[in-house]
Amino acid sequence: MMRTFEELHTIEDVDSFIASHPLSFVYISRTGCSVCHALLPQVGELMEKFPEIRLAHINSAEVEEVAERFTVFSVPALLLFVDGKEYLREARAVHMSVFEEKLQKIYEGYLR
């Protein structure tokens, strides 16, 4: 089972998504990035364990301002925001077990 990502198409969509969800996760990819496409379903599956986190996906080829706004130099970029602040960032070579561990700590801390 994999959770679905809300597709965002403008920088305003991204800002309002982050602002309106206390736990928000933004997956930034780019058209033609094979790593991005391979990793997305793995992340969607992992997020089953974190139901309170809202998921969004944005294509940086479509919305170029997103890379600038979040200082993203390589994709995929995985960003977790807690109450609008960036708490976790992984990019390019993402080790899922390490990512899950970090996510778990933040998630448990938040839910306490």
Side-chain angles (χ1 to χ4, degrees):
M1 190 57 200
M2 172 185 145
R3 290 187 50 207
T4 53
F5 290 76
E6 186 179 321
E7 292 294 330
L8 305 178
H9 301 284
T10 67
I11 197 74
E12 293 76 21
D13 286 352
V14 176
D15 290 341
S16 81
F17 178 82
I18 293 167
S20 55
H21 306 298
L23 289 171
S24 54
F25 178 82
V26 180
Y27 188 98
I28 303 170
S29 69
R30 196 168 185 83
T31 311
C33 163
S34 57
V35 176
C36 299
H37 297 292
L39 195 63
L40 189 65
Q42 292 176 44
V43 173
E45 209 169 290
L46 172 65
M47 288 299 183
E48 284 284 315
K49 299 178 183 175
F50 307 103
E52 299 298 313
I53 300 176
R54 294 295 303 266
L55 310 178
H57 171 252
I58 189 153
N59 183 340
S60 65
E62 183 189 333
V63 186
E64 291 177 2
E65 308 97 313
V66 81
E68 197 179 308
R69 167 72 53 88
F70 299 110
T71 326
V72 169
F73 298 111
S74 61
V75 288
L78 290 60
L79 309 179
L80 176 73
F81 297 88
V82 178
D83 295 327
K85 287 187 200 68
E86 184 183 315
Y87 264 68
L88 180 59
R89 170 186 293 241
E90 294 289 326
R92 202 191 235 122
V94 179
H95 300 285
M96 291 304 284
S97 56
V98 176
F99 176 62
E100 181 177 353
E101 247 168 68
K102 293 176 182 173
L103 204 54
Q104 186 75 47
K105 281 190 184 114
I106 294 166
Y107 192 74
E108 284 172 0
Y110 181 80
L111 294 181
R112 271 197 194 109

